[in-house]
Amino acid sequence: MYKETTSSKIVKWSLIGISIAFVVLMLLLPLITVIAEAFKQGFDIYAKAVSDNYTTKAIWLTLEATLLAVIINTVFGLSAAWSLTKFQFKGKKILTTLIDLPVTVSPIIAGLIFLLTFGRQSPIYPLLQDWDIKIVFAVPGIVLATIFVTFPFISRELIPVLEARGNDEEEAAALMGAKGWTIFRKITFPHIKWAFLYGVVLCAARAMGEFGAVSVISGHLRGKTNTLPLHVEILFNEFQYVPAFAVSSILVMLAIVILIARSVIEYRGRKKI
Amino acid sequence: MYVELKNINKHFGNFKASDNVSFGIEKGKLIGLLGPSGSGKTTILRMIAGLENPDSGEIIIDGKVINNVPASKRGIGFVFQSYALFRYMTVFENIAFGLRVLKKSENEIKERVAELVKLIGLEGLENRYPSQLSGGQRQRVAFARALAPNPQLLLLDEPFAAIDAKVRQELRHWLKEMIAKLGVTSIFVTHDQDEAIEVADEIIITNKGRIDQIGKPLDVYSKPKTAFVASFFGQPSIFKDYNKFHSFDTIPNVDQAIVRPEFVKVTKKNEVQKFKNSAEEGVVTDVAFRGSGIEITVLVNGETLTARRSFDEPSISVGEKVDVFIYRLFVTVGNYAFLLENKSIREPIVVI
């Protein structure tokens, strides 16, 4: 048996100490500051800041972009994970690598890519004008940028789970005459459910907090293309500290909700296995 | 013939998994596809099931060519090596799955599942999940699930591979009995010769993608036609020059001689040996307890042979000089195997 010696005790407690100190300094202190600053001038001012017209619009836009990103990345994530684990085809390795690109590319670059692809300089810009489609400095651009940065989250959760399992059960079901959709619904989905939900949570969390890519493509049109993080920045730049922190506290609360959802899903998922 | 394969060929890249495979199976028979791993037996099974397509050749079931019939329409029950039970469904739902796909009524499903659960002796466990069952129970559920839609042909891929030795023995008997009772034509794949001999009505031996021999277990065992089959069964001792041993006919171009333990009689110097004159002297190099008897390894004329003795006979120790008599042996010429009997068995015996 391993026996704790004095020196290993020192190592143990100093490591724990460093971790706790770090969490307090880097996470708890800022969080407390945000909440404290938000309520500094009383609840009425807070409520006013939060229920401000531009703020509500920013909340709705953020939720809209998040919802769309989750939906679209669900479709993409399921297809990508399924095709990468169940089929053999040329270019599979390249596809696997490319999926990770949004994580490695800086969000600012991602925003610029969309600006250049759909903006005035772009060769397809006249086409978009003809069809009366607005992407840059409009909601579609924000949604696109959000989808881009949250692209790999769902597929990345699903691929290892699907890989670890093989096709036996699906084959057995197919042999008995079950159709593709029935097989997915009854055999495959119950297996990937928890990993999938976990991916959705991660994707939602990232989508809500996205700043860089969205900042480039949104144009900061207050009440139109301002998401919550962008709204916070604008308020802050205007020295409106209380509203800035009040709006930040909404994001903090959303983050805490997601953190709880994450823990519940992780716990239930582990219990199922 | 109920199931017939005609000139089936199948490649996986450069690997030839099936090389001109042809055979027929009668209705109601339990067939064992036996061969070492990589010999193409599972490929044959998967092609019959429709999980793989042959490159050329015909698969015929009940008089109809089914090459282009999709797997789900062939009416075949398949038991996977790993069972592939649906792990998020209960025993009941697992067995009911095939019936639900066929859109049977809820009453019919309940009735049929109850019948099958009774048949496999798992009453009361309908609401368990596969992870809550033992290996043997899982296998029974897999069997019931495959049988639920009343298939005309049942295919089993290494059905006993994942079960421990004791339960395996039990399940073999159980499966043989079940299949005989239901009368469903069945083919199972195995690499275990004992299993094939014990369970199958007929054995098909595969080797390097080809069929080497088809026949009743006893015939395949005692009358091997090819060099491979002769050396596959039992625990053979193989050597080149069999003329060192007395009283065997000499055949030209022999590649090797194969001697199974039951062909060899080892006697102590003071024991009675009927064919003393043709016996040779050997030295015991190993004595091993094998549960059902004693296995003796003996060095005779520079060759190592394995023989068996029962517990009732006087014990033999390592280093002891013994008499060794070989009743018969297989010799192979090219791909063919022949049985040679020791000539002294037929000669009149002079007892002094």
Side-chain angles (χ1 to χ4, degrees), chain A residues 57-74:
Chain A
K57 283 211 165 134
I59 293 174
W60 282 118
L61 182 60
T62 299
L63 291 179
E64 184 189 342
T66 303
L67 188 69
L68 283 170
V70 166
I71 290 171
I72 289 170
N73 281 329
T74 295

Side-chain angles (χ1 to χ4, degrees), chain A residues 165 168-169 171 174 177 191, chain B residues 46 72 82 85-88:
Chain A
R165 200 186 69 149
D168 273 11
E169 288 176 45
E171 247 178 15
H191 185 74
Chain B
R46 290 176 66 88
S72 54
S82 53
L85 292 178
F86 307 135
R87 70 187 85 176
Y88 292 100

Side-chain angles (χ1 to χ4, degrees), chain A residues 164-179 182-183 185-194 269 272-273, chain B residues 46 49-51 71-73 76-78 80-89 93-94 97-102 145-146 149:
Chain A
R165 200 186 69 149
N167 290 339
D168 273 11
E169 288 176 45
E170 279 83 2
E171 247 178 15
L175 260 180
M176 287 189 258
K179 295 277 182 307
T182 312
I183 295 176
R185 203 163 41 93
K186 289 197 156 172
I187 316 281
T188 313
F189 190 71
H191 185 74
I192 60 171
K193 189 162 73 185
W194 297 111
K272 277 274 165 185
I273 296 161
Chain B
R46 290 176 66 88
L51 294 169
S72 54
K73 297 270 184 317
I76 287 174
F78 198 101
F80 287 79
Q81 181 172 357
S82 53
Y83 312 141
L85 292 178
F86 307 135
R87 70 187 85 176
Y88 292 100
M89 293 185 200
E93 284 304 321
N94 262 283
F97 190 85
L99 302 168
R100 290 202 195 284
V101 170
L102 293 174
R145 185 180 69 177

Side-chain angles (χ1 to χ4, degrees), chain B residues 24 31 64 89 102 107 141 145 208 226 230 290 312 331 344:
Chain B
I31 306 296
K64 281 185 285 275
M89 293 185 200
L102 293 174
N107 277 338
V141 174
R145 185 180 69 177
K208 291 181 183 152
T226 69
R290 278 282 178 265
D312 306 332
V331 289
S344 52

Side-chain angles (χ1 to χ4, degrees), chain A residues 123-145:
Chain A
I124 61 168
Y125 185 72
L127 212 70
L128 291 172
Q129 286 250 296
D130 288 349
W131 291 87
D132 209 17
I133 299 171
K134 285 200 180 100
I135 291 178
V136 168
F137 307 141
V139 176
I142 290 168
V143 174
L144 274 180

Side-chain angles (χ1 to χ4, degrees), chain A residues 157 193-203 262-263 265-266:
Chain A
E157 287 301 317
K193 189 162 73 185
W194 297 111
F196 170 71
L197 285 177
Y198 189 52
V200 166
V201 163
L202 286 183
C203 179
R262 202 195 90 148
S263 309
I265 287 169
E266 253 189 345

Side-chain angles (χ1 to χ4, degrees), chain B residues 6-144:
Chain B
K6 282 187 181 164
N7 309 104
I8 295 289
N9 285 288
K10 173 75 181 173
H11 286 85
F12 292 110
N14 285 328
F15 180 68
K16 193 150 201 191
S18 293
D19 187 354
N20 215 21
V21 167
S22 301
F23 63 82
I25 292 169
E26 283 171 52
K27 200 174 172 75
K29 282 268 158 69
L30 172 54
I31 306 296
L33 266 172
L34 174 66
S37 40
S39 65
K41 52 193 191 304
T42 297
T43 305
I44 293 173
L45 203 71
R46 290 176 66 88
M47 285 191 292
I48 298 174
L51 294 169
E52 305 280 355
N53 288 315
D55 299 339
S56 65
E58 282 182 339
I59 301 172
I60 300 161
I61 297 180
D62 206 7
K64 281 185 285 275
V65 177
I66 50 139
N67 286 45
N68 293 320
V69 178
S72 54
K73 297 270 184 317
R74 291 190 186 186
I76 287 174
F78 198 101
V79 177
F80 287 79
Q81 181 172 357
S82 53
Y83 312 141
L85 292 178
F86 307 135
R87 70 187 85 176
Y88 292 100
M89 293 185 200
T90 58
V91 168
F92 183 95
E93 284 304 321
N94 262 283
I95 300 173
F97 190 85
L99 302 168
R100 290 202 195 284
V101 170
L102 293 174
K103 304 232 168 12
K104 299 272 187 208
S105 75
E106 204 56 35
N107 277 338
E108 264 180 284
I109 292 175
K110 267 192 192 140
E111 216 170 280
R112 178 79 178 134
V113 174
E115 186 189 330
L116 283 162
V117 167
K118 194 160 171 246
L119 181 80
I120 60 172
L122 292 185
E123 292 112 318
L125 301 182
E126 291 92 336
N127 291 324
R128 292 255 185 115
Y129 284 90
S131 59
Q132 299 166 314
L133 300 176
S134 73
Q137 290 172 329
R138 275 180 222 174
Q139 214 247 7
R140 287 164 190 243
V141 174
F143 181 74

